């Protein structure tokens, strides 16, 4: 494919559901957690608004000047030529008493309450001053440089909708409105468990055939957020009873249990059987993706279970495509609509029949049109971590006959979005 964005040939989505279809099925099955708490303003950052917050007052609360200059009381004719006698000064925080008569002016500063009787503000750069009067050098119209009470927010208007993930901008809006506290959804409790007899925790000795557990620290970091009550569920060996009891225990206190490893088809893949043995269910998602195909989703009691594959890149992609959305849904956050970004492929790659391939890629430059060019950094593989650390995101190679050729536009998912609530 040479021109335009790589499109998906539906005949080739035979390997499973598209990521969007699989996510929609999963989210259909998950409801936001019940329970709210009331928090002080600064503590609301990173939390999800559970009840709409309305404006107790207008913003701005009073008419005021947008510039340093002179507030003019225009004559009935509306003309602004000639001199306006300066009768006082008004600064921010100290409103002026009394009313200004037509033909008079007040020295005014940005943020100062607009004096009664005045019609407009002229910037100080646009006037001449003579004999205690101000002479505008250009026409001034009523309303110029005046910010009216309520022009930003009307009283009782909704400031934050239910489902808003509170960030610095929302805190500023609430503070401007004088709101000291607000109701947010309770934090979502997520437990992360690594499964695998070969896994060792950091600090332990590596015996023959063992590796250090790297998924847990990665997933915990991707989940670290004020809206998440994180639990490190440790490592469980590939053994039915310990896997079952670790998952069952976590499911009692957690809204979401994320496991990695043990979800594939081998006899040593105990996660599904463990969840089922405890009375829950866990099904492969049948998502047509590479890596990450063995992803599984289910329930145990009230908890949602997400089984990520063991290979680190596959676990990360599973978290990108499903895990982070599950947490957002459980928290009651309004889904963030992100339109796909595209970049110019600096590489050739065959498509994987029936699978969307997520290939770590780095931005390596710009083309003649100023568009970013991305490259996939040589040989990848779902067990490799080093190329991942050198990448800026993922290129999505869609299923289709042609694959991607140098110069094609490919979807690019920035690494910054591979996080909870991102
Ligand atoms: N016969 C088949 N074998 C496999 C298939 C398949 O379809 N048929 N799929 C392969 C794919 S793709 C993946 S991905 C893996 C997923 O398998 P599991 O989720 O069951 O994962 P494990 O077998 O437990 O581990 C896979 C790999 O990852 C390493 N691992 C596991 N946990 C961690 C961790 N916490 N930190 C670092 N590395 C971890 C583990 O040692 C294995 O090397 O299955 C393929 N096989
Ligand atoms: O999910 Mo596996 O790592 O696709 O390669």
């Amino acid at each position: 494919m040479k021109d335009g964005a790589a499109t998906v040939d539906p005949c080739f989505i035979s390997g499973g559901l598209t990521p969007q279809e699989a996510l929609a099925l999963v989210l259909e099955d998950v409801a936001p957690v019940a329970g709210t708490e009331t928090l002080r303003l600064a503590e609301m950052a990173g939390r999800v608004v559970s009840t709409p917050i309305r404006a107790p007052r207008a913003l701005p609360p009073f008419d005021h000047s947008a510039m340093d200059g002179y507030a003019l009381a225009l004559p009935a004719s509306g003309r602004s030529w000639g001199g306006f006698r300066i009768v006082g000064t008004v600064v921010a925080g100290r409103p002026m008493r009394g009313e200004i008569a037509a033909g008079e002016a007040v020295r005014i500063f940005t943020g100062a309450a607009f004096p009664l009787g005045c019609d407009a503000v002229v910037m100080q750069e646009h006037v001449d001053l003579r004999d205690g009067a101000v002479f505008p050098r250009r026409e001034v119209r009523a309303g110029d440089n005046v910010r009216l009470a309520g022009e930003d927010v009307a009283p009782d208007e909704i400031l934050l909708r239910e489902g808003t993930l509170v960030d610095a901008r929302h805190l500023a809006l609430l503070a401007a409105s004088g709101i000291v506290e607000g109701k947010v959804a309770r934090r979502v409790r997520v437990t992360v468990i690594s499964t695998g007899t070969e896994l060792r925790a950091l600090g332990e000795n590596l015996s023959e055939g063992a590796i250090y557990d790297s998924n847990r620290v990665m997933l915990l970091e991707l989940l670290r957020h004020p809206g998440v009550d994180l639990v490190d569920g440790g490592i469980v060996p590939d053994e039915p009873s310990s896997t079952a009891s670790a998952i069952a225990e976590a499911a009692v206190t957690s809204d979401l249990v994320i496991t990695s490893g043990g979800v594939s088809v081998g006899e040593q893949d105990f996660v599904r059987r463990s969840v089922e043995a405890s009375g829950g269910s866990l099904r492969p998602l049948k998502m047509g993706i590479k890596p990450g195909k063995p992803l599984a989703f289910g329930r145990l009691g009230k908890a949602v279970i997400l089984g990520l594959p063991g290979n680190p890149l596959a676990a990360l992609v599973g978290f990108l495509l499903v895990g982070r959305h599950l947490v957002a849904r459980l928290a009651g956050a309004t889904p963030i609509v992100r339109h796909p970004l595209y970049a110019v492929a600096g590489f050739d790659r065959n498509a994987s029949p029936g699978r969307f391939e997520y290939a770590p890629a780095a931005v390596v430059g710009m083309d003649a049109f100023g568009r970013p060019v991305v490259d996939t950094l040589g040989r990848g593989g779902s067990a490799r971590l080093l190329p991942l650390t050198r990448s800026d995101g993922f290129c999505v190679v869609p299923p289709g006959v042609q694959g991607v050729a140098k110069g094609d536009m490919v979807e690019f998912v920035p690494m910054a979005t591979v996080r909870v609530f991102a």
Side-chain angles (χ1 to χ4, degrees):
M1 188 177 325
K2 272 282 158 226
D3 299 318
T7 47
V8 180
D9 179 342
C11 302
F12 284 84
I13 312 178
S14 53
L17 303 173
T18 66
Q20 290 80 4
E21 289 166 341
L23 181 64
L25 283 181
V26 162
L27 295 184
E28 227 169 64
D29 217 24
V30 175
V33 298
T36 61
E37 54 183 318
T38 299
L39 295 180
R40 309 279 302 165
L41 181 77
E43 293 162 355
M44 290 172 68
R47 304 296 295 273
V48 175
V49 173
S50 58
T51 318
I53 302 179
R54 289 181 177 274
R57 54 171 59 79
L59 278 184
F62 53 87
D63 299 350
H64 66 271
S65 176
M67 296 288 171
D68 294 335
Y70 296 86
L72 308 181
L74 299 174
S77 65
R79 61 132 203 110
S80 60
W81 307 111
F84 290 77
R85 194 168 63 88
I86 301 167
V87 296
T89 298
V90 58
V91 298
R94 293 202 190 287
M96 200 174 174
R97 280 185 225 286
E99 193 165 347
I100 308 304
E104 292 179 342
V106 174
R107 175 75 170 123
I108 196 163
F109 295 93
T110 306
F114 195 60
L116 215 61
C118 286
D119 300 289
V121 170
V122 56
M123 287 166 72
Q124 63 192 47
E125 295 91 324
H126 299 156
V127 301
D128 295 313
L129 295 173
R130 264 194 323 272
D131 306 327
V134 54
F135 293 79
R137 266 189 253 120
R138 54 179 71 184
E139 192 185 347
V140 180
R141 295 209 185 92
D144 282 358
N145 298 317
V146 183
R147 294 199 190 110
L148 297 178
E151 74 174 29
D152 187 5
V153 175
D156 207 39
E157 192 169 344
I158 291 181
L159 294 175
L160 303 193
R161 298 191 185 98
E162 184 181 339
T164 303
L165 181 69
V166 178
D167 65 27
R169 299 165 302 157
H170 306 114
L171 294 185
L173 178 62
L174 296 182
S177 306
I179 291 173
V180 296
E181 57 180 31
K183 232 184 207 187
V184 295
R186 75 160 168 82
R187 294 194 295 166
V188 175
R189 184 168 245 236
V190 184
T191 300
V192 177
I193 298 173
S194 288
T195 74
T197 304
E198 75 281 25
L199 300 179
R200 296 289 176 275
L202 283 181
E204 287 179 4
N205 280 332
L206 271 196
S207 46
E208 180 78 21
I211 58 168
Y212 286 118
D213 172 12
S214 58
N215 287 348
R216 195 159 40 105
V217 70
M218 175 179 76
L219 292 168
L220 287 169
E221 178 51 31
L222 295 174
L223 284 157
R224 207 172 305 281
H225 193 277
V228 178
D229 176 13
L230 256 189
V231 182
D232 181 347
I235 300 171
V236 290
D238 291 319
E239 188 268 307
S241 69
S242 40
T243 309
S245 58
I247 296 177
E249 232 171 74
V252 173
T253 53
S254 307
D255 303 300
L256 172 64
V257 180
I258 299 181
T259 61
S260 73
V263 283
S264 187
V265 293
E267 294 85 53
Q268 296 303 304
D269 295 330
F270 289 110
V271 172
R272 180 176 181 178
R273 271 179 284 156
S274 302
V275 172
E276 286 173 351
S278 306
S281 66
L282 192 74
R283 295 181 314 271
L285 261 179
K286 301 213 166 82
M287 209 192 266
I289 55 169
K290 178 185 174 181
K293 191 140 196 290
L295 208 67
F297 167 78
R299 293 191 161 276
L300 178 51
K302 284 194 199 138
V304 172
I305 315 287
L306 177 65
L308 296 174
N311 282 320
L313 181 58
L316 189 76
V317 168
F319 183 82
L320 164 73
L321 298 179
V322 178
R324 67 196 178 109
H325 298 294
L326 271 178
V327 180
R329 167 59 62 102
L330 286 164
T334 305
I336 302 169
V337 179
R338 285 199 197 285
H339 296 288
L341 302 176
Y342 288 89
V344 179
F347 60 94
D348 296 300
R349 199 166 187 111
N350 292 334
S352 308
R355 302 221 254 161
F356 289 81
E357 184 174 354
Y358 287 75
V363 177
V364 291
M366 297 277 188
D367 73 358
F369 302 103
R371 300 175 302 186
V373 176
V374 289
D375 199 3
T376 47
L377 309 157
R379 196 181 62 82
S382 72
R384 291 199 64 193
L385 282 168
L386 192 65
L388 186 59
T389 64
R390 308 268 155 92
S391 68
D392 300 307
F394 289 101
C395 274
V396 187
V397 180
V401 252
Q402 296 100 334
V404 169
K406 265 195 194 93
D408 282 350
M409 298 300 289
V410 276
E411 188 183 342
F412 182 72
V413 181
M415 205 50 84
T417 58
V418 190
R419 270 205 78 76
V420 72
F421 292 119

